[in-house]
Amino acid sequence: MAPGEWSREDAAQPGKIITMRLLVLGGSWFLGRTLVSDALARGWEVTAFSRGKSGQPPAGSTHVIGDRRNDADLHRLAELGTWDALIDTSAYEPVDVAQVTHALADRVEQYVLVSTVSAYSDWPTSPVDESSPLWPSSPTYTDHSPELGHLTVGGQYGTLKAGCEAAATEGSRHCLIVRPGVILGPGEYVGRGLKLLERAARGGRWLLPAPPEQPIQPIDVRDVSAFLLDSIEARRDGVFNLVAPIGHATYGDLIDICLELTGRRTQPVWADPQWLGERRVNQWTEMPLWRTPAGTWHVDGCRAEEAGLRCRPLQETLRDFKSALDRDGLIDHPRQADHGMSPDHEAELLETWEAAQSSTR
C-alpha cells in the first residue's frame, strides 16, 4: 500500500475502513498546525488537544480544549477514544510527559516526541549524531529542580528535554523521538525569518558575520511534518536528528535569498566574527542563525535521510514563509523581541568596522 493510504478494517463492522487516528498536543500554530493540516490531507482523523489560548487548529480536526497539566482534562481526553499515535510538540518539563503517558497509556499506540538537538550535552560545541551523549536528566525533573541550578540556560533547557525523552521512552509502548535543529517555514513565529526579511527590506548597509560560506542546516516545517507522518505510517520507532544535510545551504545563501525576496535594496557588509564577538554582538539573536561553535551546523542527519527525510531548497522555505506572512499577517509572540539588532546599534558598529578597515588599507 502506498504511503498515505494506511487503513484497516473495523472488526465490529466488516467492510468499513478506518483511517489513521492521530492526537496532536497543540495544533494551533507552526509545527502543530502543519501536522494537523498535513494529516487531514492524508485522510486521517485528527484530534488537537490544547488550551485554546493561541488560536484554533485547522478546520476538519476535532479540537479538545484542556490543559496537559490538569489530570481531569487528561482523563476527559482519554474517554474520547483511542489513537494510533500521539505527537507531542510542546513538551518542556519531563513530569509533563510522564503525566500524559500515564493518563493515555492504554489509549495511544505510539508516542512521538518532538525534542531538540539541545538535548545533546556536546551541542553546539562539537558535532553530534544520534549516539552522542545527552544531558544527564530524569523523568522527574521540573524547571525548579535543584539539580539544574548550576547549569546555564542552555544546559537547563537541554537537560529538561533529555528528561522528556526519558519520560516518553519509559511511559509508552512504542516511542519515536526526533531532534530537530532550527525549523523555518510558513507560520514560523520565533522571529528569525521575520527579522532577516525585515532587515533585508530596510535598505542601506547590512552588518553580517563572515564568512558567507558558513554551512547552515535549517529545516522546513513541512519536511519535519512529512517525516513524522511517514514514520507513523511505517510504525517507525527510535531516534532521529531532523536537519538539512550539511552543505544544503550556507549563511550567504540565506542572506542572498532574503535580499532577492525583498528587492535587493540592501548591501551586505561581512565583518570578522571575532571582531563582532569582542563587541558583544549576541549570537543567535541579534544576528539570527549566526553561531560560532563548531558543532552548531554539524549535526548528522544521515539516519533520517536514509529513512526517507527529504529537505526542500532553502529558497522555497523562505519564499513560502514570506508569502504566508504577507497573506496571513504576523503571529505575535514575545520571543520576536529577542531577535534582530537595533538600527542605532548596527549603524554604530558599521561605522567602527568600516573605519577600522580604512585604517588598514
Side-chain angles (χ1 to χ4, degrees):
M1 187 170 291
E5 296 180 358
W6 187 95
S7 61
R8 64 181 181 274
E9 192 172 56
D10 189 338
Q13 301 181 54
K16 179 182 177 181
I17 299 299
I18 303 174
T19 61
M20 186 74 80
R21 296 190 179 106
L22 176 66
L23 172 61
V24 177
L25 300 188
S28 60
W29 59 2
F30 201 34
L31 177 57
R33 187 174 186 85
T34 303
L35 285 163
V36 172
S37 295
D38 291 351
L40 289 171
R42 297 182 183 216
W44 295 11
E45 295 178 9
V46 184
T47 301
F49 179 72
S50 72
R51 295 176 299 171
K53 296 183 177 181
S54 57
Q56 299 294 312
S61 62
T62 299
H63 187 199
V64 178
I65 296 178
D67 190 330
R68 62 179 298 158
R69 294 181 171 179
N70 185 297
D71 285 331
D73 288 348
L74 290 174
H75 178 72
R76 178 167 50 86
L77 175 65
E79 291 181 332
L80 297 180
T82 60
W83 295 271
D84 298 287
L86 177 159
I87 303 181
D88 190 345
T89 67
S90 60
Y92 177 62
E93 294 185 330
V95 293
D96 294 341
V97 177
Q99 187 172 4
V100 171
T101 58
H102 176 74
L104 302 177
D106 60 348
R107 298 297 182 176
V108 173
E109 181 68 21
Q110 182 185 35
Y111 201 104
V112 180
L113 177 68
V114 181
S115 184
T116 168
V117 294
S118 295
Y120 293 114
S121 57
D122 291 339
W123 188 88
T125 305
S126 303
V128 294
D129 60 26
E130 286 86 355
S131 68
S132 298
L134 303 182
W135 285 97
S137 194
S138 166
T140 64
Y141 280 176
T142 72
D143 200 18
H144 303 293
S145 293
E147 293 87 350
L148 278 64
H150 68 287
L151 298 173
T152 65
V153 173
Q156 291 175 1
Y157 178 66
T159 298
L160 290 173
K161 285 295 190 176
C164 288
E165 294 187 14
T169 301
E170 292 181 11
S172 54
R173 287 174 288 182
H174 301 284
C175 186
L176 170 67
I177 295 171
V178 295
R179 297 175 183 143
V182 171
I183 304 177
L184 297 177
E188 188 258 314
Y189 59 84
V190 174
R192 297 178 178 120
L194 171 70
K195 295 306 176 71
L196 286 166
L197 286 173
E198 284 184 344
R199 181 59 192 92
R202 197 173 78 215
R205 296 166 299 159
W206 186 2
L207 184 67
L208 292 161
E213 297 80 18
Q214 170 65 53
I216 59 174
Q217 296 179 276
I219 187 171
D220 192 293
V221 63
R222 296 164 293 184
D223 297 331
V224 174
S225 174
F227 182 82
L228 291 179
L229 299 182
D230 288 347
S231 295
I232 290 170
E233 287 180 335
R235 305 299 210 254
R236 183 181 295 127
D237 290 347
V239 180
F240 298 86
N241 294 331
L242 293 190
V243 292
I246 297 173
H248 186 73
T250 67
Y251 202 89
D253 294 332
L254 173 73
I255 299 306
D256 192 66
I257 294 166
C258 291
L259 293 173
E260 179 182 348
L261 291 172
T262 55
R264 295 194 178 277
R265 296 187 294 270
T266 305
Q267 177 186 353
V269 176
W270 297 94
D272 178 71
Q274 182 176 345
W275 183 90
L276 294 170
E278 290 169 353
R279 280 143 188 85
R280 299 186 179 181
V281 174
N282 293 325
Q283 298 185 29
W284 215 238
T285 52
E286 277 194 292
M287 291 186 167
L289 302 191
W290 171 52
R291 208 168 190 175
T292 56
T296 304
W297 300 116
H298 285 272
V299 178
D300 188 337
C302 291
R303 189 162 188 252
E305 187 175 4
E306 291 169 358
L309 175 65
R310 295 295 177 265
C311 294
R312 68 196 68 206
L314 182 59
Q315 183 172 16
E316 182 179 339
T317 297
L318 290 173
R319 181 199 67 201
D320 293 350
F321 167 74
K322 185 177 184 300
S323 296
L325 186 65
D326 293 343
R327 181 185 66 245
D328 303 328
L330 178 66
I331 299 173
D332 190 31
H333 193 276
R335 289 181 66 184
Q336 292 164 11
D338 297 334
H339 292 275
M341 184 182 294
S342 73
D344 290 344
H345 188 202
E346 184 182 13
E348 179 183 346
L349 288 171
L350 276 166
E351 182 178 355
T352 305
W353 169 254
E354 293 179 338
Q357 297 312 294
S358 297
S359 67
T360 59
R361 293 191 184 110

